[in-house]
Amino acid sequence: MIIRRIWPDPLELFAPNDHPLLCKRGAIAVRALEPLRLFFANASRRGLNGHVVHFCSSAGFTPNVVQEAVDGGAILGLVAAGFGVAVLPKCYGQIVVRDVVQRTLSSAKAKSHICLAYNQDRTSDQLMRFVAVGSGSATAD
């Protein structure tokens, strides 16, 4: 299995627009997440969720995960309804959800990457062209 990082995508806090944590301007300290009700996308402690748990742990606390959902859109709906907050890659901000605000987290560990994974033993010309485009190494014909 080959895994290539395509681009970095910082993790951000997604919260209802009236959340008290948003009263101050600037980045949000990871430690400020400790008392909050968090939602996770994907019912897994691997990948992104495992990373969030790890960087919260390195800040000295275990996140209070109250709900896990299949996808980020569902999580943003729960955030919009005021049930809690979420830590998701910045790209989720492209899903426009009314009354949800995203804010930068101050931790250098609050980052993720969009990756491309493929089986090196099962390639085709089409796959390798796709890998080249995703890796930014494609040439014009």
Side-chain angles (χ1 to χ4, degrees):
M1 176 73 65
I2 301 290
I3 299 174
R4 293 191 183 188
R5 287 184 177 175
I6 304 300
W7 76 78
D9 196 9
L11 297 176
E12 297 197 344
L13 175 70
F14 288 78
N17 64 356
D18 61 351
H19 196 281
L21 196 56
L22 302 176
C23 291
K24 297 180 183 176
R25 296 199 182 273
I28 305 293
V30 174
R31 189 70 189 196
L33 302 177
E34 182 175 12
L36 304 180
R37 297 166 44 94
L38 285 177
F39 298 118
F40 272 179
N42 190 338
S44 166
R45 294 288 179 189
R46 298 179 307 238
L48 175 61
N49 295 341
H51 182 60
V52 172
V53 168
H54 182 341
F55 84 71
C56 288
S57 177
S58 65
F61 69 99
T62 301
N64 179 22
V65 180
V66 295
Q67 175 91 27
E68 294 183 10
V70 176
D71 63 54
I75 293 296
L76 293 175
L78 290 166
V79 170
F83 293 117
V85 301
V87 174
L88 295 167
K90 183 178 182 174
C91 68
Y92 279 83
Q94 298 300 311
I95 303 171
V96 179
V97 178
R98 189 177 189 169
D99 300 328
V100 173
V101 175
Q102 67 188 95
R103 273 296 204 37
T104 302
L105 294 170
S106 62
S107 171
K109 295 179 181 180
K111 58 185 174 183
S112 68
H113 291 88
I114 303 299
C115 296
L116 177 64
Y118 63 95
N119 183 335
Q120 65 191 10
D121 298 326
R122 298 190 61 179
T123 63
S124 66
D125 290 341
Q126 292 88 355
L127 172 64
M128 296 318 295
R129 283 195 298 271
F130 182 78
V131 169
V133 169
S135 300
S137 59
T139 57
D141 290 333

